[in-house]
């Protein structure tokens, strides 16, 4: 049962990071997106597009790691290579998501809400996966 709940949180964290990827790497210059990230104007959004594009892919890679880890975890029986590799990949990916959220908190209090949103699902998933 813990494994199922852990999987749900890990999958939700991965989906959130795919959504962040889409906003940063695909939709960055749309006003509704750059305003969400606190960008002042269209010119600044255009100037920061390459940075956001790159940053978005970091989020995508973390999501892919978590998803591949979940697939491996569920594909193998307890103690198999797939199980161990899957757990390791899920924990690494979720831990990296949490670490990124912690780094975000160091950039100022205006980013605290975003850090909580970005870090809560992977933190819960990480802790649950330790007991799965």
């Amino acid at each position: 049962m813990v494994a199922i709940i852990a999987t749900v949180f890990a999958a939700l964290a991965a989906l959130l990071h795919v959504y962040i990827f889409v906003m940063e790497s695909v939709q960055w210059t749309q006003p509704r997106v750059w305003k969400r990230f606190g960008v002042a104007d269209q010119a600044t959004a255009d100037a920061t597009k390459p940075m956001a594009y790159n940053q978005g892919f970091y989020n995508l890679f973390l999501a892919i790691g978590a998803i591949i880890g979940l697939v491996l975890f569920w594909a193998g029986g307890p103690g198999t290579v797939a199980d161990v590799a899957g757990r390791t990949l899920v924990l690494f990916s979720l831990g990296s998501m949490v670490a990124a959220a912690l780094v975000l908190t160091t950039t100022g209090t205006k980013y605290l809400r975003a850090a909580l949103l970005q870090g809560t699902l992977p933190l819960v998933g990480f802790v649950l996966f330790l007991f799965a």
Side-chain angles (χ1 to χ4, degrees), residues 18-129:
V18 168
Y19 178 63
I20 294 169
F21 156 75
V22 170
M23 286 191 296
E24 291 176 340
S25 296
V26 179
Q27 300 174 335
W28 183 254
T29 56
Q30 296 177 10
R32 69 172 181 80
V33 173
W34 55 257
K35 286 178 183 178
R36 171 178 262 170
F37 284 87
V39 174
D41 53 38
Q42 187 68 51
T44 305
D46 292 339
T48 58
K49 183 179 179 180
M51 179 273 315
Y53 180 79
N54 186 37
Q55 185 172 302
F57 272 90
Y58 280 93
N59 285 293
L60 179 63
F61 299 147
L62 290 174
I64 290 170
I67 292 165
I68 292 172
L70 289 172
V71 169
L72 289 171
F73 173 75
W74 287 103
T80 63
V81 171
D83 173 54
V84 173
R87 286 176 190 270
T88 302
L89 194 50
V90 168
L91 289 171
F92 177 80
S93 297
L94 295 179
S96 295
M97 291 174 189
V98 172
L102 289 173
V103 169
L104 187 56
T105 66
T106 68
T107 60
T109 55
K110 76 177 191 173
Y111 296 105
L112 184 58
R113 182 177 182 272
L116 287 171
L117 179 66
Q118 177 181 323
T120 302
L121 290 170
L123 177 61
V124 173
F126 185 94
V127 170
L128 290 173
F129 248 94

